[in-house]
Amino acid sequence: MRKCLAFVLTLIMLLALAAPLAAAAEDKNPLPFTLPAPEHVSVSWAEGNDSPTTCMFSYSIPTIVSQFQEALDNAEDKDAFFAQYGLTDGWFSIQIDWALDDVNDPVSGWHYNKYWDGDSEHGIGRDDNGGYHYGEWDYVECGIGNVTETINDVWILRGIPNDERLNGNPESGWIGVKDQLNPDQFTYDYENEDLIIDFTKHTVFVRARFIFTARDSERDRYFFSDWSEVASCGKGVEAYTPLTGNDIAAPEITDLHMTDKEFNDNPVVAFTLTVPDTLAKQAVDAEAHRGYIVIETYARVKGDTEWVAMGNVDWEVKPGEMECALLSLISDEHKKIEKDTPIELRCRYRCSQPEVDDVYSEYSKILTFETSQIGGDPTPTPTDTPVIDDPTPTPTVTPAPEEKKDDKCPLCHFCPQPLGLCIFIWLIIIIVILLVVFIVVKKLKNDDNRKK
């Protein structure tokens, strides 16, 4: 009898251990890569524009993230795309944390807390009772403008009215911004409802991390990158030096080819842009300081002497394929650009910054191609195209049809997971029930025999 009880207790313990293992397997990152942190971050005070405290925060999207998003955007069947990862939907967002003067200060230091990690039942930033655990300047789940672009930005630390955003709300748990600052770090203009921080006396620190929200038929799960490096502005921070043309390297472009698209009855070509780490950092810094870097594309019919600045072309810096309509090449000499016409193309970066003239990089190498037939061969044979090694090759992300969805069990890797649990867990449950029934029946029989 004691042996049977010991055996039952052992099985119950194994069952208790199996449930967390199954849950841990379900929480496995569904992405085909580990979510990287923002590669470059930068922040600057807006000098009183928008509100007395507003700052511009900019960050770069890692290439692997932007390419995943581009594959999703281009997928003909979004459901099939997500099905290959065991999801019904998914999206990227970003968390932005801030501190003033000392990141370790118990009041004005980093404001991240455990509730920023979220859970499937209550979402991000809330406790079991639905109470908030963040304030107006805590960006616990901030949308990203365009995940496919290398550079994104957001205005942070914006004006605070004299309501619960300033004073907090004990009932809802909402944290007031004045409770996240020390009294000597700010003043408040009650007449104009402006919170004021003197950035000649104080320093703001900012960091960020990406979120991927993975949605399946049952719940939302949250996966986070590491925190980025820390950006800062204000007292003691070296002033931003505007870029010059010599600072910016020429664009790295490859694979000029005809697409099967047309724009106003004229063909569209495409080329691949590689965004090196140095350029991404320069673009982030420029963006945070109210500037920007864009790419300009010039083309000409082979044999012409003049280059033409192209309109209807992708101009925002992003890794991967850039499209260029050839309509701008139409002239008296070229009434229409046929799809077998030899074309030359080159690019340069243009950097605009406040209070200084625009600056330009050198031109890229010239790409040349001609198609083998009229009608838009999507894979034309390039000629005289320079070969440039791409340090960040585009990963292939191919949506799988739903019938090929991977339904393997995360524990045994072969059972169909009846009702969502491994078949071995079900066997353990059944065995435990049978043993309990057997023990109860036997005990009743023994009691009955003793009575007789």
Side-chain angles (χ1 to χ4, degrees):
M1 184 69 176
R2 292 178 179 175
K3 291 183 178 180
C4 289
L5 286 173
F7 181 65
V8 171
L9 290 173
T10 302
L11 288 176
I12 292 173
M13 291 176 64
L14 289 173
L15 182 60
L17 289 172
L21 286 173
E26 289 178 358
D27 287 335
K28 182 181 178 182
N29 175 25
L31 290 171
F33 54 85
T34 300
L35 187 59
E39 292 175 333
H40 303 289
V41 291
S42 187
V43 64
S44 71
W45 177 48
E47 299 181 357
N49 294 310
D50 183 60
S51 84
T53 54
T54 298
C55 293
M56 177 68 79
F57 176 69
S58 62
Y59 57 93
S60 63
I61 305 286
T63 298
I64 197 168
V65 173
S66 61
Q67 289 176 342
F68 179 88
Q69 183 66 46
E70 186 172 14
L72 168 60
D73 293 344
N74 294 334
E76 294 183 2
D77 188 339
K78 300 295 191 294
D79 291 338
F81 182 93
F82 282 118
Q84 65 183 326
Y85 305 113
L87 304 175
T88 59
D89 200 358
W91 59 90
F92 296 98
S93 53
I94 193 168
Q95 283 188 339
I96 304 172
D97 192 9
W98 64 282
L100 195 67
D101 295 332
D102 180 0
V103 297
N104 296 313
D105 187 275
V107 175
S108 64
W110 294 128
H111 296 99
Y112 162 82
N113 58 58
K114 65 179 182 180
Y115 298 101
W116 288 36
D117 296 336
D119 64 60
S120 297
E121 185 176 354
H122 307 98
I124 296 178
R126 296 193 177 197
D127 59 27
D128 294 347
N129 298 316
Y132 295 94
H133 287 269
Y134 59 92
E136 178 71 7
W137 284 356
D138 302 331
Y139 302 84
V140 297
E141 193 174 10
C142 182
I144 298 175
N146 191 331
V147 181
T148 64
E149 294 174 7
T150 299
I151 311 302
N152 278 260
D153 59 60
V154 59
W155 288 6
I156 63 173
L157 311 187
R158 303 182 73 182
I160 298 293
N162 184 19
D163 55 22
E164 65 178 9
R165 286 169 284 185
L166 174 69
N167 303 301
N169 185 333
E171 292 184 3
S172 66
W174 186 261
I175 303 172
V177 169
K178 74 175 186 180
D179 295 323
Q180 296 179 307
L181 297 168
N182 292 300
D184 61 345
Q185 292 178 316
F186 75 101
T187 57
Y188 195 82
D189 180 351
Y190 286 93
E191 181 178 352
N192 297 306
E193 293 196 344
D194 279 333
L195 189 149
I196 300 168
I197 296 174
D198 186 347
F199 286 103
T200 65
K201 298 178 180 178
H202 301 284
T203 308
V204 64
F205 300 93
V206 186
R207 62 180 180 175
R209 65 177 182 173
F210 290 121
I211 311 169
F212 180 71
T213 302
R215 175 170 293 174
D216 57 31
S217 58
E218 298 180 354
R219 58 176 178 159
D220 288 351
R221 292 173 291 153
Y222 306 105
F223 299 90
F224 299 86
S225 73
D226 290 334
W227 288 103
S228 68
E229 294 183 350
V230 177
S232 60
C233 66
K235 178 185 176 181
V237 178
E238 186 177 350
Y240 173 73
T241 302
L243 295 168
T244 69
N246 293 331
D247 296 325
I248 306 172
E252 299 178 26
I253 59 174
T254 55
D255 189 28
L256 178 63
H257 62 273
M258 189 71 71
T259 72
D260 57 0
K261 300 178 182 179
E262 286 191 348
F263 183 80
N264 286 1
D265 297 324
N266 282 276
V268 175
V269 298
F271 58 92
T272 299
L273 175 67
T274 297
V275 181
D277 188 69
T278 300
L279 190 281
K281 185 179 187 310
Q282 291 172 334
V284 166
D285 286 338
E287 191 87 13
H289 292 84
R290 295 176 294 140
Y292 56 85
I293 295 177
V294 297
I295 188 166
E296 296 182 339
T297 301
Y298 297 81
R300 66 185 178 187
V301 174
K302 191 172 184 179
D304 289 354
T305 57
E306 298 295 324
W307 289 94
V308 178
M310 304 302 289
N312 307 112
V313 61
D314 290 336
W315 52 271
E316 294 179 319
V317 176
K318 62 177 184 178
E321 191 164 272
M322 311 279 284
E323 293 186 349
C324 173
L326 297 184
L327 181 65
S328 299
L329 291 179
I330 298 301
S331 63
D332 292 338
E333 185 178 355
H334 304 289
K335 302 293 186 182
K336 183 178 180 181
I337 306 299
E338 300 291 350
K339 289 191 175 181
D340 61 346
T341 303
I343 300 295
E344 294 180 319
L345 182 143
R346 67 180 184 178
C347 302
R348 69 176 178 179
Y349 289 118
R350 173 169 61 88
C351 179
S352 292
Q353 300 161 106
E355 301 178 2
V356 296
D357 294 336
D358 289 357
V359 297
Y360 302 85
S361 71
E362 296 291 335
Y363 284 103
S364 67
K365 294 182 179 180
I366 297 173
L367 302 185
T368 306
F369 84 101
E370 55 186 304
T371 56
S372 57
Q373 64 179 46
I374 297 176
D377 180 3
T379 55
T381 302
T383 60
D384 301 325
T385 302
V387 177
I388 303 176
D389 292 334
D390 185 353
T392 54
T394 303
T396 301
V397 185
T398 305
E402 290 192 41
E403 60 269 20
K404 292 185 179 179
K405 179 180 176 181
D406 185 6
D407 290 322
K408 290 182 179 179
C409 173
L411 293 179
C412 69
H413 302 290
F414 65 82
C415 84
Q417 290 182 272
L419 298 180
L421 286 177
C422 177
I423 194 169
F424 288 102
I425 294 179
W426 284 117
L427 288 174
I428 292 173
I429 293 172
I430 293 169
I431 291 171
V432 170
I433 293 172
L434 290 175
L435 284 171
V436 171
V437 171
F438 173 77
I439 292 169
V440 171
V441 170
K442 187 173 182 179
K443 187 175 186 303
L444 290 174
K445 285 184 178 180
N446 290 338
D447 291 343
D448 189 49
N449 290 333
R450 280 194 294 269
K451 290 178 181 178
K452 289 179 179 180

